[in-house]
Amino acid sequence: MKPLMSVIYASRSTEDFHEHEIPDLLKQARLSNARHELTGMLLYIGGSFLQVLEGYPEMVEAVFDTIVRDKRHTQATLIAKETIPERAYEGWTLCHKTLDPVEAGELIAEPDYFSSNTWVARLDPGRAKKLLSACRVQWQIEHRSGKYRTLGRTA
């Protein structure tokens, strides 16, 4: 079995990117992730992104390099890059959740943590993984219908 890798990063959206553009962004990202056999989750928190990508190392690194150059965001900050034994988002090309900063903070038991724009630069792997995990569980409960494109099948 080939090794798997996970990358977690945070970034700020630019003034040119608006929340109503997220559906188009997701459509593009899900198609790209399916082509590259990537899975993961994208959170949008008060004008900033937190994303985890997982898959084969060469694909994760190639897509992450493309993301870093994307003009829709700035201050891309690598939070964690590690080998993983299995996918946490198996079958899902890209889960998505938009969170209010207070809601995001409550999920990690620190209500004010995401209230300042500086969280992008100071988010540590522990907090990032805790938030992503909580959102993954919520997302799975909310989207059991399988209406989103998954790897290996269409819905």
Side-chain angles (χ1 to χ4, degrees), residues 28-102:
Q28 294 169 6
R30 286 177 176 144
L31 290 172
S32 174
N33 286 359
R35 275 194 310 274
H36 293 96
E37 297 182 39
L38 298 179
T39 53
M41 176 172 251
L42 176 68
L43 302 180
Y44 188 73
I45 306 166
S48 296
F49 298 100
L50 175 62
Q51 183 171 14
V52 58
L53 288 173
E54 52 188 24
Y56 300 118
E58 62 278 3
M59 294 295 137
V60 171
E61 290 177 359
V63 170
F64 180 66
D65 287 345
T66 300
I67 289 169
V68 169
R69 292 189 310 272
D70 190 314
K71 300 297 183 201
R72 292 174 283 199
H73 65 143
T74 185
Q75 298 176 349
T77 304
L78 181 64
I79 296 169
K81 179 179 175 180
E82 59 194 11
T83 301
I84 55 173
E86 62 186 17
R87 295 175 190 258
Y89 301 88
E90 182 65 47
W92 295 101
T93 53
L94 191 60
C95 303
H96 166 261
K97 194 161 181 63
T98 295
L99 297 168
D100 174 88
V102 173

Side-chain angles (χ1 to χ4, degrees), residues 91-151:
W92 295 101
T93 53
L94 191 60
C95 303
H96 166 261
K97 194 161 181 63
T98 295
L99 297 168
D100 174 88
V102 173
E103 179 186 10
E106 288 172 350
L107 288 171
I108 65 166
E110 298 180 50
D112 296 329
Y113 190 85
F114 296 95
S115 296
S116 167
N117 290 339
T118 62
W119 73 262
V120 169
R122 62 183 168 84
L123 185 63
D124 60 85
R127 285 183 177 101
K129 290 176 184 179
K130 186 175 181 179
L131 179 58
L132 287 161
S133 179
C135 288
R136 183 183 75 234
V137 170
Q138 283 184 349
W139 198 92
Q140 288 171 327
I141 291 168
E142 294 168 1
H143 295 87
R144 289 193 190 273
S145 66
K147 65 182 180 178
Y148 295 97
R149 179 170 167 69
T150 62
L151 288 178

